[in-house]
């Protein structure tokens, strides 16, 4: 997610190996993975973030089962077994930093940090200008010194998703960004697999196995130090509402930054829902 990110401290570096097949590979290829098939969010794998909100976003992050829970059956909307639901809603309340927020939503941080490999998630996104789901990798400690890899972002236009890198000299409104448009008849409200393959010399972003953007070490070096390539990172899944990046795309400045009234109604009506079938970080 572009613009300022928090310093969130150290993460557990232990491997979390799951006993299932990852993609087409072996089960022992899994470094960090969750099928979201348990009775509740696995707190050994995930930290529920409830800290400061950045980017002039309009929500606060909360730790409750209205914002974050495992769903099954019809509510999982075609997931293979269970799914993680991240649900934003209209729920005015105090922020942890200052002031109040009109909306409440959820954000998860993986408790394990890794460097290199392929990270993928199968996700189904909502539509609505200014509704901002993201799947990304965040470096430890101060941002942007340790880099950020945005595997998938969407700000409510279901026709496209974006991928980006952030680091010192290329953070916020980064030049290392690419928008990918879905083929005719398809969009982000359907199930898709978003992935990145991260190596010492390059990062390749994919949608449903199709490469959409490749960034090399030389590309990064033109803008600043290669922190996006070289620092260990952990997985983040979240759903933001409004803020600076959506406003830059949709042009809405009032009465809510980056969020038109139609999307505010969608959130109030319960339609701002992200589903995650699984997350897998493989070697």
């Amino acid at each position: 997610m572009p613009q300022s990110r928090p310093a969130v401290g150290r993460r557990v570096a232990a491997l979390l190996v799951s006993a299932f097949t990852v993609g087409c590979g072996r089960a022992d290829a899994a470094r960090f993975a969750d099928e979201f098939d348990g009775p509740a969010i696995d707190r050994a794998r995930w930290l529920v973030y409830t800290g400061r909100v950045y980017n002039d976003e309009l929500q606060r992050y909360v730790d409750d089962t209205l914002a974050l829970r495992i769903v099954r059956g019809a509510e999982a909307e075609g997931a293979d077994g269970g799914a993680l639901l991240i649900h934003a809603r209209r729920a005015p309340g105090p922020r942890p930093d200052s002031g109040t927020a009109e909306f409440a939503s959820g954000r998860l941080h993986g408790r394990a940090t890794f460097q290199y490999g392929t990270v993928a998630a199968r996700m189904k996104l909502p539509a609505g200008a200014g509704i901002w789901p993201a799947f990304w990798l965040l470096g430890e400690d101060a941002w942007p010194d340790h880099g950020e890899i945005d595997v998938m972002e969407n700000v409510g236009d279901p026709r496209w998703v974006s991928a980006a890198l952030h680091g010192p000299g290329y953070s916020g409104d980064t030049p290392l960004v690419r928008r990918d448009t879905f083929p005719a008849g398809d969009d982000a409200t359907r199930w898709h697999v978003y992935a990145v393959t991260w190596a010492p010399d390059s990062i390749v972003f994919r949608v449903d196995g199709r490469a959409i953007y490749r960034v090399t070490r030389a590309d990064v070096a033109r803008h600043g130090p290669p922190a996006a390539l070289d620092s260990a990172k952990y997985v983040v899944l979240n759903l933001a509402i409004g803020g600076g990046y959506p406003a830059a795309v949709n042009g809405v400045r009032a009465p809510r930054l980056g969020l038109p009234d139609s999307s505010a109604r969608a959130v109030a009506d319960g339609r701002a829902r992200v589903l995650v079938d699984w997350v897998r970080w493989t070697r």
Side-chain angles (χ1 to χ4, degrees), residues 52-53 93-101:
R52 182 179 174 187
V53 174
R95 293 184 188 269
D97 41 7
S98 63
T100 61

Side-chain angles (χ1 to χ4, degrees), residues 135-208:
F135 164 40
W136 41 300
L137 311 180
L138 184 59
E140 295 184 294
D141 302 318
W143 185 95
D145 297 349
H146 293 259
E148 174 182 330
I149 301 172
D150 295 331
V151 187
M152 184 285 303
E153 289 188 280
N154 177 269
V155 289
D157 184 337
R159 296 172 297 178
W160 58 268
V161 292
S162 63
L165 295 184
H166 302 268
Y170 47 102
S171 62
D173 188 14
T174 176
L176 299 171
V177 61
R178 179 69 52 86
R179 182 183 293 186
D180 181 65
T181 301
F182 288 98
D186 198 4
D187 64 36
T189 67
R190 301 185 181 190
W191 287 106
H192 294 284
V193 175
Y194 304 101
V196 66
T197 297
W198 171 21
D201 60 348
S202 66
I203 295 178
V204 179
F205 298 88
R206 294 183 175 86
V207 176
D208 297 330

Side-chain angles (χ1 to χ4, degrees), residues 7-20:
V8 294
R10 303 293 295 174
R11 288 295 180 277
V12 178
L15 300 182
L16 299 175
V17 179
S18 298
F20 54 79

Side-chain angles (χ1 to χ4, degrees), residues 55-149:
N55 311 311
D56 297 318
E57 297 159 21
L58 305 177
Q59 84 292 332
R60 56 196 174 99
Y61 289 117
V62 297
D63 185 354
D64 65 38
T65 55
L66 294 178
L68 293 160
R69 66 181 183 274
I70 304 300
V71 295
R72 290 178 176 77
E75 197 173 12
E77 299 183 17
D80 182 14
L84 169 70
L85 171 65
I86 309 176
H87 189 195
R89 65 192 192 277
R90 188 177 187 279
R95 293 184 188 269
D97 41 7
S98 63
T100 61
E102 182 178 358
F103 306 101
S105 189
R107 172 168 159 170
L108 290 182
H109 290 191
R111 288 186 179 272
T113 58
F114 299 102
Q115 192 170 5
Y116 310 134
T118 295
V119 192
R122 185 172 186 250
M123 303 178 69
K124 193 172 190 286
L125 310 182
I131 298 174
W132 184 7
F135 164 40
W136 41 300
L137 311 180
L138 184 59
E140 295 184 294
D141 302 318
W143 185 95
D145 297 349
H146 293 259
E148 174 182 330
I149 301 172

